[in-house]
Amino acid sequence: MSGYGSSDNDTYVTRPTTASSLAETPMQERHMDEEDLKLNALLEDYDLETTVEEVDETDSLEVFAELLFSGEHLKSIFHDTSSLLSFTAFLSEHRPRSLPILVYYLDTIKALRAFRYANAIAEGLGSIPGLDFTSTPAKSDPNPLIETKAQQSFNLLLQEDLPAYVTHMYVQVAKSSMIKRVTMGTITSTQGEPEGLAEVFCLTEPTRPDNPIVFVSEAFHQLTQYGVNKTIGRNCRFLQGPKTNAASVRRLRRAVEAGSEHCEVILN
């Protein structure tokens, strides 16, 4: 059985199991009462596109997600000492194979800075009257090979390690929120702790063809606006959107096929 939590930008989780009875797990019944019929009638005309003529993109979740997984965000982590230490500690504990890539990238950046410093001094050398050898200006060396190596190592960290780091931070927030709800009862959600996160989920059955959804929570319906008849029996891929990260989907697919636990933050 694999669990799948969904929101506009939520954490997805798959968990392995060895239970032999799951192949017979029945799907959630599509029993619809009067309220469900009313909801389905409304959903028939439900338009996911906003009707607001002007939308401030700074408040758009899509824009936020793009920034969250962007190169600019990764650069900001490298430029802030505490953030870099946190990122390095995460790699050391959870992705040790990526740690040499981080060190390599940082060393190439140091080398490029050294070259730029040396070039700046060389270009600033003035001539000395009476000494002909000082009259020839020094040529700067941009060293494109090191620049290429730096960019390639940066791209690796951006594609694989930044998403893992962001997901890890979100999981910690979600875990903290869930623990407080279980141990302290209903509490007021603080900034950074999404309200109702623990209640938004669906369950799939990976032993069945195409890994269909077999159960969805009530909060899932309320958040996504998809009723039971729109979700049960379908693969979770219908929740993907045009800006869903293909690399994240690929990592999830590998985890499901391997039957291993995995977390991703995905923009639907």
Side-chain angles (χ1 to χ4, degrees), residues 78-79 106-119:
F78 293 150
H79 292 161
L106 296 176
D107 285 344
T108 59
I109 294 302
K110 292 177 183 178
L112 287 174
R113 289 173 180 170
F115 274 112
R116 294 189 186 110
Y117 178 72
N119 289 335

Side-chain angles (χ1 to χ4, degrees), residues 9-42:
N9 197 328
D10 203 352
T11 303
Y12 293 64
V13 180
T14 62
R15 297 187 182 279
T17 180
T18 57
S20 59
S21 62
L22 287 180
E24 305 300 327
T25 302
M27 291 188 182
Q28 186 179 14
E29 295 184 0
R30 301 187 183 184
H31 173 72
M32 296 192 300
D33 54 22
E34 184 177 350
E35 292 298 323
D36 290 328
L37 293 174
K38 292 180 180 179
L39 176 61
N40 284 336
L42 292 174

Side-chain angles (χ1 to χ4, degrees), residues 1-3 12-17 206 251-263:
M1 180 73 72
S2 64
Y12 293 64
V13 180
T14 62
R15 297 187 182 279
T17 180
R251 288 189 291 267
L252 271 175
R253 183 182 297 112
R254 287 200 301 260
V256 171
E257 291 173 352
S260 58
E261 179 175 337
H262 186 71
C263 298

Side-chain angles (χ1 to χ4, degrees), residues 49-94:
E49 295 183 1
T50 178
T51 57
V52 180
E53 295 183 357
E54 295 184 3
V55 177
D56 184 2
E57 288 194 346
T58 59
D59 295 329
S60 169
L61 200 57
E62 292 184 3
V63 174
F64 174 74
E66 289 178 355
L67 291 174
L68 196 61
F69 297 102
S70 68
E72 291 302 315
H73 182 203
L74 186 56
K75 289 178 181 178
S76 70
I77 291 176
F78 293 150
H79 292 161
D80 181 74
T81 303
S82 61
S83 297
L84 178 57
L85 289 174
S86 175
F87 184 69
T88 304
F90 164 75
L91 293 183
S92 299
E93 182 177 357
H94 300 283

Side-chain angles (χ1 to χ4, degrees), residues 163-254:
Y165 177 66
V166 170
T167 300
H168 172 75
M169 300 304 291
Y170 268 124
V171 168
Q172 299 309 306
V173 172
K175 184 183 297 184
S176 173
S177 177
M178 292 178 189
I179 291 174
K180 289 180 180 178
R181 290 173 184 276
V182 171
T183 59
M184 302 173 60
T186 303
I187 60 173
T188 303
S189 178
T190 59
Q191 185 175 4
E193 294 184 344
E195 181 70 26
L197 176 64
E199 292 79 22
V200 181
F201 68 92
C202 68
L203 301 177
T204 70
E205 177 52 274
T207 64
R208 293 187 178 184
D210 205 31
N211 194 15
I213 297 173
V214 295
F215 182 84
V216 288
S217 66
E218 183 64 29
F220 179 94
H221 293 312
Q222 296 174 359
L223 181 66
T224 65
Q225 294 296 294
Y226 286 108
V228 174
N229 62 325
K230 300 290 186 180
T231 54
I232 299 301
R234 301 180 67 182
N235 185 281
C236 292
R237 72 174 64 90
F238 82 93
L239 294 168
Q240 298 175 22
K243 293 189 177 182
T244 300
N245 189 296
S248 297
V249 175
R250 184 170 57 253
R251 288 189 291 267
L252 271 175
R253 183 182 297 112
R254 287 200 301 260

